[in-house]
């Protein structure tokens, strides 16, 4: 019964991702179509879904601090472990090691996470998902840039300021972060939305999940493997196994959070490595092939990863 229950939950997600992949693989659509759908999802539909969900939520009932501490304590553990393994076991230099740490801990909580969580847990699951996603990019960006400035790699104060400026610019123009902040402020201010506008946003928000999942499958056709898989395999195992388990432990047993929030946090931690990790690799000119391979490995195994952790949560009573 457990097996079939989880299968029935995850099967529609698998079908949509597979459909997107097959249509692109067979050449039914050009690459420009997948790029357009991804832009539509990330720049309009998913932000609207977040804004609409958060704007009507009672955020005063939800203290984000235990979730942030539980989730990002796990990020710190996995990031540090990935960096140390790359540094002392793989004999990578410091910049390569830090990028390896990012690939081990940075999740695709936006483009993949939002539609997946919506499919699995409904819009109620978007509240903890939005809280996790909102601070992931700034925290990992600032930490990585600061750490890189300390360890060197010829990073001058001028280049550090440039990195920090670029980082700030990316954060301030990120549609998902903007939508999260605006939705939260709207809710906390107690504003009421006219019915015609709310209904319009609902229509657009309802389209976000299927379109995003289709485009996830479409862009997977562009993924590939380059060079050795040793480092990517290690980072992938840290991301898909250690990260979700530590998040589960902190949220369920240290902070004793609700069943929904534990489940959302655990599945969020089991998401593939985020494509923004390539940005870190390019920024520091290190570990580009391994980072790309990690994104590929964690992305093509996403259905199996989510299936495993859903079964785990069911067994644990969540």
């Amino acid at each position: 019964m457990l097996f079939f229950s989880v299968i029935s939950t995850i099967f529609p997600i698998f079908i949509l991702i597979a459909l997107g992949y097959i249509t692109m693989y067979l050449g039914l659509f050009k690459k420009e179509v997948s790029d357009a759908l991804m832009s539509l999802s990330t720049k309009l539909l998913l932000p609207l879904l977040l804004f609409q969900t958060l704007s009507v939520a009672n955020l005063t009932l939800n203290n984000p601090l235990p979730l942030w501490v539980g989730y990002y304590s796990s990020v710190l553990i996995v990031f540090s472990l990935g960096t140390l393994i790359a540094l002392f076991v793989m004999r990578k230099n410091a910049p390569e090691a830090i990028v390896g740490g990012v690939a081990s801990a940075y999740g695709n909580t936006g483009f993949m996470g939002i539609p997946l969580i919506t499919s699995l847990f409904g819009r109620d699951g978007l509240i903890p998902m939005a809280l996790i996603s909102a601070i992931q990019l700034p925290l990992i960006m600032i930490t990585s840039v600061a750490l890189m400035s300390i360890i060197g790699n010829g990073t001058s104060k001028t280049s550090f300021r440039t990195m920090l400026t670029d980082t700030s610019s990316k954060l301030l123009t990120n549609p998902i972060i903007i939508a999260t902040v605006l939705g939260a402020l709207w809710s906390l201010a107690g504003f009421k939305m006219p019915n015609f506008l709310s209904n319009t946003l609902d229509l657009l928000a309802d389209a976000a999940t299927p379109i995003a999942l289709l485009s996830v499958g479409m862009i997977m056709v562009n993924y590939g493997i380059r060079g050795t898989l040793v480092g990517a395999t290690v980072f992938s195992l840290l991301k898909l196994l250690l990260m979700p388990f530590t998040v589960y432990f902190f949220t369920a047993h240290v902070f004793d959070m609700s069943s929904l929030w534990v489940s959302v946090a655990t599945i969020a931690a089991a998401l593939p490595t985020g494509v923004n990790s390539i940005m870190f690799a390019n920024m520091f000119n290190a570990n580009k092939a391994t980072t790309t391979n990690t994104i590929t490995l964690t992305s093509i195994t996403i259905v199996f990863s989510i299936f495993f952790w859903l079964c785990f949560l069911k067994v644990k009573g969540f």
Side-chain angles (χ1 to χ4, degrees), residues 273-290:
T273 297
V275 292
N276 275 336
S277 55
I278 289 291
M279 176 182 64
F280 290 92
N282 290 330
M283 185 186 298
F284 303 132
N285 193 28
N287 247 0
K288 295 178 184 179
T290 300

PDB file of all heavy atoms in Angstrom, residues 273-290:
ATOM      1  N   THR A 273      20.866  19.554  -7.685  1.00  0.00           N
ATOM      2  CA  THR A 273      21.742  20.718  -7.568  1.00  0.00           C
ATOM      3  C   THR A 273      21.238  21.821  -8.483  1.00  0.00           C
ATOM      4  O   THR A 273      20.908  21.591  -9.642  1.00  0.00           O
ATOM      5  CB  THR A 273      23.182  20.345  -7.952  1.00  0.00           C
ATOM      6  OG1 THR A 273      23.666  19.363  -7.035  1.00  0.00           O
ATOM      7  CG2 THR A 273      24.103  21.558  -7.921  1.00  0.00           C
ATOM      8  N   GLY A 274      21.165  23.036  -7.955  1.00  0.00           N
ATOM      9  CA  GLY A 274      20.636  24.158  -8.723  1.00  0.00           C
ATOM     10  C   GLY A 274      21.563  24.608  -9.835  1.00  0.00           C
ATOM     11  O   GLY A 274      22.799  24.565  -9.685  1.00  0.00           O
ATOM     12  N   VAL A 275      20.974  25.045 -10.935  1.00  0.00           N
ATOM     13  CA  VAL A 275      21.782  25.481 -12.076  1.00  0.00           C
ATOM     14  C   VAL A 275      22.604  26.724 -11.752  1.00  0.00           C
ATOM     15  O   VAL A 275      23.593  27.013 -12.436  1.00  0.00           O
ATOM     16  CB  VAL A 275      20.897  25.738 -13.317  1.00  0.00           C
ATOM     17  CG1 VAL A 275      20.302  24.450 -13.836  1.00  0.00           C
ATOM     18  CG2 VAL A 275      19.789  26.745 -13.002  1.00  0.00           C
ATOM     19  N   ASN A 276      22.219  27.455 -10.717  1.00  0.00           N
ATOM     20  CA  ASN A 276      23.000  28.626 -10.331  1.00  0.00           C
ATOM     21  C   ASN A 276      24.391  28.254  -9.826  1.00  0.00           C
ATOM     22  O   ASN A 276      25.273  29.123  -9.734  1.00  0.00           O
ATOM     23  CB  ASN A 276      22.275  29.428  -9.243  1.00  0.00           C
ATOM     24  CG  ASN A 276      21.260  30.401  -9.825  1.00  0.00           C
ATOM     25  OD1 ASN A 276      21.371  30.815 -10.964  1.00  0.00           O
ATOM     26  ND2 ASN A 276      20.263  30.748  -9.037  1.00  0.00           N
ATOM     27  N   SER A 277      24.603  26.968  -9.500  1.00  0.00           N
ATOM     28  CA  SER A 277      25.943  26.557  -9.083  1.00  0.00           C
ATOM     29  C   SER A 277      26.951  26.724 -10.218  1.00  0.00           C
ATOM     30  O   SER A 277      28.146  26.902  -9.982  1.00  0.00           O
ATOM     31  CB  SER A 277      25.934  25.112  -8.580  1.00  0.00           C
ATOM     32  OG  SER A 277      25.392  24.235  -9.542  1.00  0.00           O
ATOM     33  N   ILE A 278      26.450  26.681 -11.474  1.00  0.00           N
ATOM     34  CA  ILE A 278      27.317  26.966 -12.618  1.00  0.00           C
ATOM     35  C   ILE A 278      27.815  28.405 -12.556  1.00  0.00           C
ATOM     36  O   ILE A 278      28.950  28.714 -12.940  1.00  0.00           O
ATOM     37  CB  ILE A 278      26.563  26.726 -13.944  1.00  0.00           C
ATOM     38  CG1 ILE A 278      26.342  25.236 -14.167  1.00  0.00           C
ATOM     39  CG2 ILE A 278      27.314  27.319 -15.128  1.00  0.00           C
ATOM     40  CD1 ILE A 278      27.608  24.469 -14.464  1.00  0.00           C
ATOM     41  N   MET A 279      26.965  29.291 -12.062  1.00  0.00           N
ATOM     42  CA  MET A 279      27.355  30.689 -11.916  1.00  0.00           C
ATOM     43  C   MET A 279      28.546  30.824 -10.972  1.00  0.00           C
ATOM     44  O   MET A 279      29.470  31.599 -11.216  1.00  0.00           O
ATOM     45  CB  MET A 279      26.163  31.494 -11.393  1.00  0.00           C
ATOM     46  CG  MET A 279      26.444  32.953 -11.103  1.00  0.00           C
ATOM     47  SD  MET A 279      24.978  33.778 -10.441  1.00  0.00           S
ATOM     48  CE  MET A 279      24.749  32.889  -8.896  1.00  0.00           C
ATOM     49  N   PHE A 280      28.536  30.025  -9.882  1.00  0.00           N
ATOM     50  CA  PHE A 280      29.660  30.045  -8.954  1.00  0.00           C
ATOM     51  C   PHE A 280      30.923  29.504  -9.624  1.00  0.00           C
ATOM     52  O   PHE A 280      32.015  30.050  -9.438  1.00  0.00           O
ATOM     53  CB  PHE A 280      29.337  29.205  -7.715  1.00  0.00           C
ATOM     54  CG  PHE A 280      28.295  29.801  -6.825  1.00  0.00           C
ATOM     55  CD1 PHE A 280      26.959  29.480  -6.978  1.00  0.00           C
ATOM     56  CD2 PHE A 280      28.630  30.701  -5.831  1.00  0.00           C
ATOM     57  CE1 PHE A 280      25.979  30.029  -6.165  1.00  0.00           C
ATOM     58  CE2 PHE A 280      27.666  31.263  -5.009  1.00  0.00           C
ATOM     59  CZ  PHE A 280      26.338  30.921  -5.178  1.00  0.00           C
ATOM     60  N   ALA A 281      30.762  28.424 -10.388  1.00  0.00           N
ATOM     61  CA  ALA A 281      31.906  27.844 -11.091  1.00  0.00           C
ATOM     62  C   ALA A 281      32.508  28.847 -12.076  1.00  0.00           C
ATOM     63  O   ALA A 281      33.738  28.958 -12.195  1.00  0.00           O
ATOM     64  CB  ALA A 281      31.487  26.565 -11.810  1.00  0.00           C
ATOM     65  N   ASN A 282      31.647  29.574 -12.778  1.00  0.00           N
ATOM     66  CA  ASN A 282      32.131  30.582 -13.722  1.00  0.00           C
ATOM     67  C   ASN A 282      32.736  31.779 -12.994  1.00  0.00           C
ATOM     68  O   ASN A 282      33.748  32.344 -13.425  1.00  0.00           O
ATOM     69  CB  ASN A 282      30.984  31.052 -14.624  1.00  0.00           C
ATOM     70  CG  ASN A 282      30.541  29.986 -15.607  1.00  0.00           C
ATOM     71  OD1 ASN A 282      31.336  29.157 -16.033  1.00  0.00           O
ATOM     72  ND2 ASN A 282      29.263  29.986 -15.961  1.00  0.00           N
ATOM     73  N   MET A 283      32.121  32.165 -11.882  1.00  0.00           N
ATOM     74  CA  MET A 283      32.597  33.313 -11.125  1.00  0.00           C
ATOM     75  C   MET A 283      34.014  33.090 -10.614  1.00  0.00           C
ATOM     76  O   MET A 283      34.861  33.988 -10.645  1.00  0.00           O
ATOM     77  CB  MET A 283      31.646  33.583  -9.940  1.00  0.00           C
ATOM     78  CG  MET A 283      31.971  34.848  -9.148  1.00  0.00           C
ATOM     79  SD  MET A 283      30.911  35.005  -7.667  1.00  0.00           S
ATOM     80  CE  MET A 283      29.285  35.121  -8.420  1.00  0.00           C
ATOM     81  N   PHE A 284      34.282  31.837 -10.154  1.00  0.00           N
ATOM     82  CA  PHE A 284      35.587  31.526  -9.594  1.00  0.00           C
ATOM     83  C   PHE A 284      36.483  30.753 -10.563  1.00  0.00           C
ATOM     84  O   PHE A 284      37.589  30.351 -10.195  1.00  0.00           O
ATOM     85  CB  PHE A 284      35.414  30.721  -8.299  1.00  0.00           C
ATOM     86  CG  PHE A 284      34.574  31.421  -7.268  1.00  0.00           C
ATOM     87  CD1 PHE A 284      33.540  30.752  -6.618  1.00  0.00           C
ATOM     88  CD2 PHE A 284      34.779  32.751  -6.954  1.00  0.00           C
ATOM     89  CE1 PHE A 284      32.751  31.394  -5.668  1.00  0.00           C
ATOM     90  CE2 PHE A 284      34.001  33.403  -6.012  1.00  0.00           C
ATOM     91  CZ  PHE A 284      32.987  32.721  -5.367  1.00  0.00           C
ATOM     92  N   ASN A 285      35.959  30.532 -11.793  1.00  0.00           N
ATOM     93  CA  ASN A 285      36.714  29.832 -12.833  1.00  0.00           C
ATOM     94  C   ASN A 285      37.256  28.497 -12.317  1.00  0.00           C
ATOM     95  O   ASN A 285      38.450  28.197 -12.417  1.00  0.00           O
ATOM     96  CB  ASN A 285      37.861  30.711 -13.347  1.00  0.00           C
ATOM     97  CG  ASN A 285      38.463  30.165 -14.634  1.00  0.00           C
ATOM     98  OD1 ASN A 285      37.780  29.491 -15.415  1.00  0.00           O
ATOM     99  ND2 ASN A 285      39.736  30.442 -14.857  1.00  0.00           N
ATOM    100  N   ALA A 286      36.374  27.681 -11.754  1.00  0.00           N
ATOM    101  CA  ALA A 286      36.808  26.426 -11.134  1.00  0.00           C
ATOM    102  C   ALA A 286      35.709  25.366 -11.216  1.00  0.00           C
ATOM    103  O   ALA A 286      34.521  25.678 -11.095  1.00  0.00           O
ATOM    104  CB  ALA A 286      37.169  26.670  -9.663  1.00  0.00           C
ATOM    105  N   ASN A 287      36.123  24.112 -11.454  1.00  0.00           N
ATOM    106  CA  ASN A 287      35.240  22.943 -11.348  1.00  0.00           C
ATOM    107  C   ASN A 287      34.002  23.017 -12.238  1.00  0.00           C
ATOM    108  O   ASN A 287      32.927  22.526 -11.877  1.00  0.00           O
ATOM    109  CB  ASN A 287      34.797  22.750  -9.888  1.00  0.00           C
ATOM    110  CG  ASN A 287      35.376  21.489  -9.287  1.00  0.00           C
ATOM    111  OD1 ASN A 287      36.105  20.746  -9.950  1.00  0.00           O
ATOM    112  ND2 ASN A 287      35.061  21.233  -8.035  1.00  0.00           N
ATOM    113  N   LYS A 288      34.127  23.594 -13.420  1.00  0.00           N
ATOM    114  CA  LYS A 288      32.958  23.769 -14.291  1.00  0.00           C
ATOM    115  C   LYS A 288      32.390  22.427 -14.760  1.00  0.00           C
ATOM    116  O   LYS A 288      31.179  22.203 -14.711  1.00  0.00           O
ATOM    117  CB  LYS A 288      33.324  24.637 -15.493  1.00  0.00           C
ATOM    118  CG  LYS A 288      33.705  26.063 -15.123  1.00  0.00           C
ATOM    119  CD  LYS A 288      34.102  26.861 -16.360  1.00  0.00           C
ATOM    120  CE  LYS A 288      34.573  28.262 -15.971  1.00  0.00           C
ATOM    121  NZ  LYS A 288      34.985  29.057 -17.157  1.00  0.00           N
ATOM    122  N   ALA A 289      33.259  21.519 -15.221  1.00  0.00           N
ATOM    123  CA  ALA A 289      32.789  20.230 -15.738  1.00  0.00           C
ATOM    124  C   ALA A 289      32.142  19.400 -14.636  1.00  0.00           C
ATOM    125  O   ALA A 289      31.078  18.812 -14.829  1.00  0.00           O
ATOM    126  CB  ALA A 289      33.949  19.465 -16.375  1.00  0.00           C
ATOM    127  N   THR A 290      32.787  19.362 -13.451  1.00  0.00           N
ATOM    128  CA  THR A 290      32.250  18.572 -12.342  1.00  0.00           C
ATOM    129  C   THR A 290      30.914  19.125 -11.864  1.00  0.00           C
ATOM    130  O   THR A 290      29.994  18.368 -11.542  1.00  0.00           O
ATOM    131  CB  THR A 290      33.254  18.542 -11.171  1.00  0.00           C
ATOM    132  OG1 THR A 290      34.484  17.965 -11.614  1.00  0.00           O
ATOM    133  CG2 THR A 290      32.721  17.724 -10.009  1.00  0.00           C
TER     134      THR A 290
END
